[in-house]
Amino acid sequence: MQRSSPSIASLAAALAKAQIELSNPEKSLVGTVRSSDGPAGTERLFRYAPLSSGLDIVRKTLGQHEIATVQTTAIDQSAGIVNLTTVLAHASGEWIASDWPVCAISETAAPRRMGAALTYARRYALFTLVGIAGEDDLDAPDLVAPQSPGAGPQPAKPPTNPHLNGGHRDPAQPPPRRDRRHSPASNQPALGPRESTELRDRLLGEIGSIGSADDAALWAYCNLKAKNGLTSADAKCVEEAFRTVLATFVQPEEDPEQPLKARDEEISAPQRRQRSAAIDKTVLTFPELRRLRDRDHVKYVAAQACLICGRRPCDAHHLRFAQSRALGRKVSDEFTVPLCRGHHRELHRYGDEAAWWRVVKIDAAAAARTLWLKSHPLPSVVKIGSDQADANP
């Protein structure tokens, strides 16, 4: 069900401009859709984008056009389900909303299942409302196993949510085996000659459309169980076709160390020892940056008041712009300032740390230096001059 304010002219204009800037989030996760139709069950893999990456894109783009996203939940006692409402609200007061069923009320007894269903619903509802795609497009016919011509229509089965642990399963259907990789023989019955021929032709057609080594690996993972149900002759035909296609993507590897080995043979043993000696970094033109670690100083900084609002407790934040980046290494502990949890999160969400400090008009580097000198005071300087002159008339 879709609802909106009496007029959405301003909202539609702003959303049209925002959609020009919106882009589909990166599909960094992999889900599995299991099909139990037919004697040879198959698995389909698909890539999808997490909710967090989509929210980062949507909030940043819509916020620039004065559009806010709000997602709330409500319990429908009459229908016995939990509903999710997603709203796009414009600064003009116009809005548009959509409702999405999350799960049955009984699922609230299993918080992890309910949370997974809620994340699934939030992602689909938000991506649909703003007009972006968050997962691969899988055609429905590809998920249906071939059926014999005389077979009647199959009864509809409840949809399976790939993001839940197990989804919904027919109680009359035996649970699938978890792992058959190490079993000596499969209990899966072989197909008849006619069904085996149809499945063989379908698999050969899919093999002919493979375009890369990654596609070949994905095809093998998804169709291995189906291939095992073929007759021996059909299975051998599919294996040979797959082996032929796979050979076109495998390049003969050259030994990259061969030129180095030939050159090493010409270098004497003393020269090799001299070449492998460690570099003396003290004589470099640009010496290595210091990255000091002092837990006591970090605790001392965390005990101070927030530089922005003066609240406590605080986090010890390392100024990233104070030193050049290094793989897996923070800047030195001497570049540390106190920030409350709220301003600490705001800084990380802003992205450009140096610009954020300029906006709040605080010299973070000077504050960090002051705190470092308080916990690491400089040695006292011996006065010379008039005092020594008085001592030696």
Side-chain angles (χ1 to χ4, degrees):
M1 181 177 67
Q2 186 172 356
R3 297 175 287 110
S4 64
S5 57
S7 173
I8 59 170
S10 300
L11 172 60
L15 186 59
K17 296 178 180 178
Q19 287 181 338
I20 297 176
E21 305 173 8
L22 282 172
S23 60
N24 295 330
E26 180 183 0
K27 302 168 186 177
S28 56
L29 301 180
V30 178
T32 304
V33 176
R34 296 179 177 86
S35 175
S36 58
D37 297 335
T42 59
E43 293 182 354
R44 287 283 191 180
L45 299 183
F46 68 96
R47 298 172 301 153
Y48 68 96
L51 174 64
S52 57
S53 62
L55 283 174
D56 291 340
I57 297 175
V58 171
R59 281 194 298 240
K60 182 177 180 180
T61 305
L62 297 187
Q64 295 175 352
H65 297 274
E66 300 182 332
I67 303 175
T69 61
V70 182
Q71 290 186 308
T72 59
T73 56
I75 296 178
D76 188 348
Q77 296 290 351
S78 59
I81 59 175
V82 179
N83 286 324
L84 170 72
T85 301
T86 303
V87 181
L88 294 184
H90 189 249
S92 62
E94 298 175 353
W95 57 273
I96 184 171
S98 67
D99 294 332
W100 186 284
V102 177
C103 61
I105 297 179
S106 59
E107 294 291 347
T108 57
R112 295 184 63 182
R113 290 177 57 83
M114 183 190 67
L118 180 59
T119 300
Y120 181 80
R122 288 184 61 195
R123 184 170 63 88
Y124 262 84
L126 179 62
F127 289 6
T128 303
L129 199 56
V130 300
I132 60 177
E135 68 178 34
D136 290 340
D137 185 14
L138 296 180
D139 295 333
D142 292 342
L143 301 179
V144 180
Q147 299 180 1
S148 59
Q154 298 294 329
K157 295 186 178 181
T160 300
N161 187 344
H163 299 272
L164 300 182
N165 297 327
H168 300 284
R169 180 176 56 83
D170 186 359
Q173 178 184 0
R177 295 186 61 178
R178 294 291 181 182
D179 192 355
R180 298 184 179 180
R181 292 176 296 176
H182 304 291
S183 59
S186 174
N187 296 328
Q188 177 180 339
L191 298 176
R194 184 172 182 177
E195 290 80 3
S196 178
T197 302
E198 294 178 355
L199 181 57
R200 180 202 64 190
D201 294 340
R202 182 174 68 85
L203 295 179
L204 290 177
E206 294 178 357
I207 291 175
S209 62
I210 294 176
S212 64
D214 292 339
D215 293 342
L218 182 60
W219 182 91
Y221 179 82
C222 296
N223 295 280
L224 181 60
K225 293 183 179 179
K227 191 272 299 181
N228 290 339
L230 298 173
T231 61
S232 58
D234 291 340
K236 185 177 180 180
C237 181
V238 171
E239 291 173 358
E240 291 178 354
F242 180 74
R243 190 180 298 109
T244 302
V245 171
L246 188 62
T248 60
F249 305 122
V250 178
Q251 299 294 336
E253 297 184 358
E254 299 180 357
D255 187 2
E257 299 182 356
Q258 188 63 28
L260 298 179
K261 293 178 180 178
R263 187 180 62 182
D264 288 343
E265 292 177 357
E266 301 175 359
I267 301 177
S268 60
Q271 290 176 335
R272 285 198 298 270
R273 287 195 297 268
Q274 182 179 2
R275 184 182 61 181
S276 61
I279 298 176
D280 185 4
K281 297 182 179 181
T282 61
V283 299
L284 296 177
T285 305
F286 299 98
E288 186 181 23
L289 294 176
R290 300 183 306 167
R291 298 188 187 271
L292 304 179
R293 295 290 174 254
D294 189 339
R295 294 183 179 180
D296 294 335
H297 176 70
V298 174
K299 293 180 181 179
Y300 169 74
V301 172
Q304 306 303 311
C306 176
L307 290 181
I308 310 299
C309 61
R311 287 184 292 185
R312 288 187 174 90
C314 288
D315 298 333
H317 171 70
H318 290 75
L319 302 176
R320 299 181 179 178
F321 61 87
Q323 288 181 323
S324 60
R325 293 185 177 181
L327 185 61
R329 300 185 66 185
K330 288 186 177 181
V331 300
S332 178
D333 288 344
E334 59 183 314
F335 302 107
T336 311
V337 295
L339 286 177
C340 67
R341 183 58 55 85
H343 286 107
H344 199 181
R345 290 176 177 173
E346 178 184 342
L347 186 151
H348 283 287
R349 287 197 298 265
Y350 195 84
D352 189 347
E353 182 174 352
W356 187 85
W357 286 109
R358 288 194 297 269
V359 171
V360 299
K361 299 180 180 180
I362 292 180
D363 189 349
R369 182 61 179 171
T370 301
L371 292 172
W372 179 261
L373 292 178
K374 287 183 179 180
S375 62
H376 298 76
L378 296 175
S380 58
V381 179
V382 179
K383 296 182 179 180
I384 59 175
S386 60
D387 295 341
Q388 291 184 354
D390 294 339
N392 300 313

